[in-house]
Amino acid sequence: LRLDPQPDTRYFVADCLARAGKLASAWASYLEVAEKVSNPEQVVAARERARAVKARLPYLAITVSAPVGAIAGLAIRHDGAEVGRGQWNTEVPVDFGEHVVTVTAPGYKPWEARVAINVEQQRATVTVPELEKMGEPQLRIIVPPALRGIQGLSIRADGKEIGAAQWGTDAVVTAGVHVITASAPGRRTWEGTIEVGGPDVAMITIGGLDPMR
């Protein structure tokens, strides 16, 4: 079918996408052209091209189980774009190339999968597994042996007294910045801050406590 000598630029963009292997993008572009151009011949041509490309489309499905889908704050992204719940467990057309699926949720370790799409009519599936929970944030306050014998030594975390039995042990804390202070009669007060947020144990070592003069 012969087109208008000056066809809509979008038609040529769709042709370029198809030649580049971006079949899903080309299919969507042809459909857009069919809806927006006024030239009847271009409309027919765009619809025919869309049908031809549709028969070649590869598809990707992201499957999500009910327990995983119920996790609060769950976010699934495909090549950086968020995948809405309506697209879970559904085949969607994709372009050739490597596709990256990432899954995140508060309190869980992020998960990522990569899949290569390089064959026409390929059907690929990425199954989101059960997510692994992050360990609770923990803080360890280290009191050097040289300071442990100081008379009246007081260690506090966010204003709360930390007994000697807890020095050097791992304590579960809330994520965020914590203020640690150490004081003793006749000594300069020491203060330090530490941010706790990951599953690893955060550690801070008490220092200072120089004698006052």
Side-chain angles (χ1 to χ4, degrees), residues 91-110:
E91 286 189 327
V92 295
V94 291
D95 296 328
F96 286 164
E98 184 180 67
H99 295 265
V100 181
V101 177
T102 58
V103 182
T104 58
Y108 292 83
K109 293 183 179 180

Side-chain angles (χ1 to χ4, degrees), residues 127-205:
T127 300
V128 179
E130 183 177 343
L131 299 183
E132 183 180 352
K133 284 189 175 183
M134 285 185 175
E136 295 181 282
Q138 297 184 71
L139 174 63
R140 183 186 306 167
I141 300 174
I142 301 172
V143 182
L147 301 181
R148 286 176 175 260
I150 294 177
Q151 192 70 25
L153 178 62
S154 173
I155 308 294
R156 293 179 177 273
D158 301 323
K160 183 180 179 180
E161 183 77 24
I162 305 298
Q166 296 175 283
W167 301 349
T169 64
D170 300 337
V172 175
V173 295
T174 57
V177 177
H178 295 269
V179 179
I180 313 302
T181 58
S183 60
R187 303 247 177 190
R188 297 183 185 278
T189 298
W190 176 90
E191 180 178 294
T193 59
I194 185 169
E195 184 170 3
V196 182
D200 298 328
V201 177
M203 294 181 286
I204 186 170
T205 301

